[in-house]
Amino acid sequence: MGKIKSAARNTFFYSLSNMLGKLSGLILLPLYTVYLSVDMFGLYSLFEISYQVIVAFTGMGIRTAMSRWYWDKGMEGRQKELFYSACLFNAVVNIATMTVLYLGFDLLAKYYFQAPVSQELRIVFVVGTLLRLFSEMPMLLLRVTHKAFLHTVHQFIQLVVFVGLTAYFLAYRNLEIYGIFLAYLISYGLNFVLLIPYMFRNFRYTYLKAEVKDMLAFGMPLAGANIVNMILNLSDRVIINFFGTLKSVGNYSLAHKIANVIDLMIVSAFMKAYTHLYYKGMNDEDSSIFFTKILHYLMILLAFVSMCFVVLTDYLALLFSWGDYRSSLALVPVLTLSVMFSGLRSVMTLPLSKVKKTKIISMISLSAGIINIIGNIALVPFVGAMGAAIATLFTQFVTSVWMYKQACKYDPETNFGGRTLTVIIGSSLLYSIVAILIKDVSGILRYASDAFLILSWPILLYTIKIIDKKEILILLGFIRKWRDPSQWKENLAQELKEID
C-alpha cells in the first residue's frame, strides 16, 4: 500500500502541473476564439503537431532510455555521468535538427502548412522550440528522481509567464500566433535559465560512450514508435486540411484539446509519476502484484472519467459563446473514448519495456499510424472531421488490445486481470453509447438520465465485486481528509514531507 500511496501522491502533483497547463488553455480559449480566426487556429494546431514530432525525433529514445538506465544496478554511483552524457547527446541532436528545420521551412510552408509563414514567425518558432527542447532533460531528471513538487513549481512558473504574455500579445498587441510562439520562447527560456543550476549540480563531466550506445539501441525503437504516434495525431489534421479547410482543422483540433484533458489529468500524469517508480522497483518480488493493483485502479478511474466526459459534453456549450467553433462539441465524445483506449495502450508499454521488447512497441505504433491514415482517407471525404474522430477511436481500440496481448505474452509472471479490465472498459463503453443515444432528450428527463448514468456505474462495479469494501473505505478516508478546505495547507505540507 505504501508504493501505491507514493504513486498516487506523485500522480497528484503531476496531475496538478498538467491541470495548470490545461487551465492555461481554458483561460486562453476565449482569447483564441476572439483574436484568432478558425483558419488561424487551424494553422496554430499544425505548428503544435510539428513541435510534438520534433520532440519525438530529437529524443531518439535517449530520454526514455535514461528513465530505464538511471535506476539500473550497474549505474549506481554513476548517475551524474549518465545525465551529463544524455544531455550532451541530446543538445547536439537538438541544434542539428532545428538548423535543418529552419533551412527547410519553405518546403514545410508549401506542402504541409499550405499557407504563407513569415520570416519572423519561423525564427520565433525555431528558437522557442530549441529552448523547449533544452528544458526537457532537466525536467525529466526531476521526474526520474521523484521530485514531483519541484517539477510542479517549475511548470507553474513557466505557465504563469506564458499565459500572461500570450494574453498581452493577443489582446493588446494583436500579434496572433506569432505572439503565442513569442510567449513560448520567453517562458521556456526563463524556465531553462532557472533550471541551469540544477543541471550543473547533477553533471559529472565524463561522457559514457558505451552506455549512450546501449541506450540508443534500447530507445531508438521507442523513438520510432513516438514519431509514429505523432504522425498518428498529425495525419488526421493533415487529411482534414487536404479534403476540407483550415476551419475544419481548427474545429477538430479544439475537440481534440478538450478530450485530451483526460490524457493530461490522468494518463500523462500517471505515466510521469509511475514510469520511474516502475523501473526502480521492477526487480522487486512484489513488482507484478503492485503493477496489477495499479492497473486496476487506473483503469477504473480512466473509464469512469471518460464516461462522465461523454455524458456531460453538451453542458460545455453553456460555458462559452462558441460561435464558429460549436461544431467541435459533436466530436468530443468519440475522441474522449479513444483516450480511454490510448491510456491502456500507454500503460502496457511498461511490461514490454521491462523485458526490452521495444521493437514490438515500435511495430504496434507503426501499425497504428497506418491504420489511422487508412481510416482517415476512407472516412474524412464522406463525413469530414467526424470520420477522423471515428478512425482515431478504432485505431486506439485495436492497438490497445494488441499491446495488451503482447504484454501478456512476454511478461507471463504478471496477472493483468484481463476479465476485470474487459468488464471495466466494456461497461464504461456501454454507458457512453447510451449517453450519446439520449442526447436528443431534453428537460428534466435528460438531467435525471445523466445523473443515473454517472451514479449507477460505480454501484455496478461494487455489485459485481470489481470494487470491494476496503477500497471504498480508503476512498472515503481520502474524501474526509480533503473535504475541509481549512485543512488543505496542513495536509499538503504533510504530503510534501513524504515525497522524497
Side-chain angles (χ1 to χ4, degrees):
M1 187 58 67
K3 287 184 178 180
I4 293 176
K5 184 177 179 181
S6 176
R9 184 188 302 114
N10 284 341
T11 299
F12 165 75
F13 280 106
Y14 290 127
S15 180
L16 178 62
S17 66
N18 286 342
M19 181 180 69
L20 291 171
K22 185 50 62 177
L23 182 62
S24 70
L26 291 175
I27 293 171
L28 293 172
L29 186 58
L31 290 176
Y32 289 159
T33 58
V34 171
Y35 295 102
L36 295 179
S37 66
V38 182
D39 289 34
M40 188 61 70
F41 187 76
L43 181 62
Y44 169 62
S45 71
L46 293 179
F47 268 102
E48 282 191 316
I49 292 296
S50 302
Y51 167 73
Q52 293 169 13
V53 174
I54 291 167
V55 169
F57 172 75
T58 55
M60 291 192 176
I62 201 78
R63 289 190 288 267
T64 304
M66 197 188 87
S67 301
R68 171 67 172 78
W69 255 250
Y70 195 87
W71 294 113
D72 194 278
K73 290 182 179 180
M75 290 309 302
E76 290 183 8
R78 297 197 298 161
Q79 280 96 340
K80 289 188 176 182
E81 290 96 326
L82 181 74
F83 180 59
Y84 168 74
S85 302
C87 283
L88 181 59
F89 177 86
N90 206 52
V92 172
V93 174
N94 289 343
I95 293 171
T97 301
M98 297 315 297
T99 301
V100 172
L101 176 69
Y102 178 75
L103 295 175
F105 230 108
D106 285 336
L107 293 175
L108 283 176
K110 182 176 181 180
Y111 295 107
Y112 171 58
F113 296 115
Q114 298 184 23
V117 179
S118 69
Q119 187 70 15
E120 293 80 8
L121 181 55
R122 298 181 190 192
I123 293 173
V124 78
F125 175 73
V126 167
V127 176
T129 298
L130 191 59
L131 290 170
R132 293 169 78 178
L133 292 172
F134 283 157
S135 301
E136 285 285 328
M137 288 303 294
M139 292 294 280
L140 172 63
L141 185 63
L142 289 174
R143 297 194 296 271
V144 170
T145 54
H146 310 302
K147 298 185 183 299
F149 177 71
L150 188 57
H151 181 279
T152 301
V153 170
H154 277 278
Q155 189 89 354
F156 177 75
I157 293 171
Q158 185 270 316
L159 288 171
V160 168
V161 175
F162 171 69
V163 170
L165 288 176
T166 301
Y168 171 72
F169 290 145
L170 287 178
Y172 295 100
R173 298 296 298 275
N174 196 30
L175 294 180
E176 297 188 319
I177 64 172
Y178 173 81
I180 298 175
F181 287 114
L182 183 59
Y184 271 126
L185 187 156
I186 296 171
S187 61
Y188 274 95
L190 174 63
N191 189 43
F192 179 66
V193 169
L194 295 175
L195 286 166
I196 287 175
Y198 175 72
M199 289 178 61
F200 280 95
R201 285 198 304 270
N202 286 278
F203 277 169
R204 191 171 292 142
Y205 300 97
T206 301
Y207 187 73
L208 303 179
K209 184 178 179 180
E211 281 75 7
V212 169
K213 184 178 179 180
D214 291 340
M215 290 165 70
L216 287 173
F218 171 88
M220 282 295 284
L222 292 176
N226 288 335
I227 291 171
V228 171
N229 280 332
M230 294 304 103
I231 292 174
L232 189 155
N233 286 326
L234 177 148
S235 63
D236 44 22
R237 271 152 277 197
V238 172
I239 293 171
I240 291 171
N241 191 32
F242 182 80
F243 288 107
T245 63
L246 278 174
K247 181 177 180 179
S248 297
V249 176
N251 276 307
Y252 181 84
S253 298
L254 183 61
H256 204 277
K257 281 182 174 292
I258 295 171
N260 264 10
V261 170
I262 298 174
D263 180 76
L264 287 165
M265 295 294 295
I266 300 177
V267 180
S268 178
F270 171 79
M271 293 299 289
K272 284 180 179 179
Y274 180 62
T275 297
H276 315 296
L277 190 63
Y278 177 81
Y279 288 139
K280 186 176 181 179
M282 63 184 174
N283 296 316
D284 296 346
E285 291 183 2
D286 63 344
S287 62
S288 295
I289 298 174
F290 178 47
F291 178 80
T292 302
K293 276 287 186 183
I294 283 287
L295 179 63
H296 177 89
Y297 295 142
L298 174 68
M299 291 313 301
I300 289 176
L301 177 62
L302 187 56
F304 178 66
V305 174
S306 297
M307 183 266 293
C308 289
F309 243 65
V310 174
V311 172
L312 300 174
T313 295
D314 283 355
Y315 298 95
L316 289 173
L318 303 177
L319 297 179
F320 305 108
S321 176
W322 292 82
D324 291 339
Y325 290 89
R326 182 169 290 274
S327 58
S328 300
L329 294 175
L331 307 174
V332 173
V334 180
L335 291 171
T336 296
L337 294 176
S338 73
V339 173
M340 178 172 64
F341 291 110
S342 70
L344 175 62
R345 176 180 154 195
S346 296
V347 177
M348 287 298 108
T349 62
L350 294 176
L352 289 171
S353 296
K354 181 180 76 172
V355 295
K356 299 185 177 180
K357 296 294 182 181
T358 52
K359 290 183 179 179
I360 292 175
I361 299 173
S362 180
M363 177 183 66
I364 294 174
S365 296
L366 176 62
S367 301
I370 295 171
I371 293 170
N372 192 65
I373 290 172
I374 293 173
N376 272 272
I377 293 174
L379 296 175
V380 169
F382 301 102
V383 289
M386 180 58 75
I390 294 171
T392 299
L393 174 59
F394 177 76
T395 299
Q396 296 293 3
F397 169 73
V398 170
T399 53
S400 65
V401 173
W402 189 1
M403 193 78 78
Y404 172 82
K405 293 291 185 182
Q406 292 299 309
C408 292
K409 177 181 178 181
Y410 288 100
D411 189 14
E413 295 180 0
T414 301
N415 175 17
F416 294 102
R419 292 183 178 179
T420 300
L421 288 179
T422 301
V423 173
I424 293 171
I425 296 174
S427 59
S428 175
L429 191 61
L430 179 62
Y431 271 56
S432 298
I433 292 172
V434 172
I436 293 172
L437 292 176
I438 64 173
K439 283 189 178 296
D440 291 334
V441 176
S442 59
I444 191 67
L445 182 60
R446 171 66 186 277
Y447 302 141
S449 300
D450 291 343
F452 173 79
L453 290 172
I454 293 173
L455 296 175
S456 65
W457 190 77
I459 295 174
L460 171 66
L461 294 193
Y462 178 74
T463 303
I464 59 180
K465 299 183 178 179
I466 298 295
I467 302 174
D468 60 34
K469 186 176 181 179
K470 181 180 178 181
E471 292 164 340
I472 292 177
L473 291 175
I474 293 173
L475 178 61
L476 291 176
F478 175 84
I479 294 173
R480 283 195 295 269
K481 180 177 179 179
W482 292 95
R483 67 183 176 184
D484 184 0
S486 66
Q487 298 296 314
W488 285 359
K489 184 177 180 180
E490 181 181 340
N491 293 339
L492 185 60
Q494 181 182 350
E495 294 297 327
L496 289 175
K497 290 179 181 179
E498 299 179 18
I499 287 178
D500 295 326

